[in-house]
Amino acid sequence: MIAAPILPGSWRPLSTGGRPDAADMNDQHTSPASATLRRKLFDGLRRAEQAVLTRPAPKSARAQMKFLLTRTEGSTTAVAERLGVSRRTVERYRSGAATKPQKRLQKALVQETEARWQPQVRAHARQRSVTSGGLVISCRASFGFGPEGTSDAGRMRDIMTAVSPLHADLILTARDSGATDDGLHNLVAEAIADAYFRKHGGGRAGLHVEFKDVERLDISF
């Protein structure tokens, strides 16, 4: 599992079984504590996505150069412009005639490679999660529950649950579309409530779940 530790803080309680729409997520207030949680959540999702792809990003200068060329349909001119070098330099690294770039070129190679590697990692992870895999969420937080419209006194629980591809799609879509901190967090809360307490709409479908005081949140694909 890829850990995404969340600093202690409170999430806005989940009031009903309804999922927040785009307007709800855009109108909610964002606090500094919530922004910190957002950064941790984003970091956890990124690491989880990277773990899905078993082949690591190219590390050597030659491998990085060859990868960048595949992203530009073999255009040495395009790669040279992105890196701020000559076409001859690109060709020398592609052929292996040059292997040890100076600091400026080395930094540019790393930045350009990572910028183009991450989208394909994200696409691979997303396809897997929203079609069959879903997400596995592990957390320690305060949960209170009862019939709809009520909530028993909450207590701290350690929970691990697999959430559905539908919830995974909602979370990743919100992340990619710039949802507010509270909106994104509430989607995660709803996913946990549905998977662990309501059991995907089974006999406890009307259960009201309160989710707050999050101490830890780990995510994996």
Side-chain angles (χ1 to χ4, degrees), residues 192-215:
I192 296 172
D194 215 22
Y196 192 85
F197 294 106
R198 301 193 196 106
K199 301 187 183 303
H200 301 292
R204 305 173 76 183
L207 192 70
H208 163 75
V209 179
E210 184 183 68
F211 178 57
K212 62 181 182 178
D213 299 329
V214 179
E215 292 185 356

Side-chain angles (χ1 to χ4, degrees), residues 68-196:
L68 292 176
L69 284 166
T70 65
R71 300 295 92 184
T72 60
E73 300 181 349
S75 172
T76 55
T77 299
V79 174
E81 290 177 351
R82 295 292 300 180
L83 297 174
V85 297
S86 66
R87 289 180 57 193
R88 177 171 173 77
T89 297
V90 173
E91 291 165 351
R92 282 173 55 79
Y93 279 96
R94 176 173 61 178
S95 68
T99 58
K100 297 181 179 181
Q102 295 181 347
K103 284 187 177 181
R104 189 198 63 77
L105 177 55
Q106 183 179 34
K107 181 178 180 180
L109 278 168
V110 170
Q111 290 177 338
E112 291 297 320
T113 298
E114 290 180 350
R116 283 155 180 74
W117 189 260
Q118 184 60 25
Q120 71 179 35
V121 171
R122 178 171 290 184
H124 181 87
R126 183 184 180 87
Q127 180 65 21
R128 172 176 167 176
S129 66
V130 305
T131 55
S132 60
L135 297 171
V136 176
I137 298 177
S138 174
C139 67
R140 177 172 175 77
S142 175
F143 290 90
F145 53 91
E148 186 171 355
T150 69
S151 179
D152 295 339
R155 65 179 178 86
M156 297 302 294
R157 295 169 180 262
D158 289 289
I159 286 177
M160 177 183 290
T161 187
V163 306
S164 70
L166 172 61
H167 282 298
D169 191 20
L170 289 170
I171 292 168
L172 293 173
T173 297
R175 186 273 307 271
D176 295 341
S177 62
T180 64
D181 300 346
D182 289 340
L184 183 60
H185 299 156
N186 282 345
L187 286 173
V188 176
E190 176 68 9
I192 296 172
D194 215 22
Y196 192 85

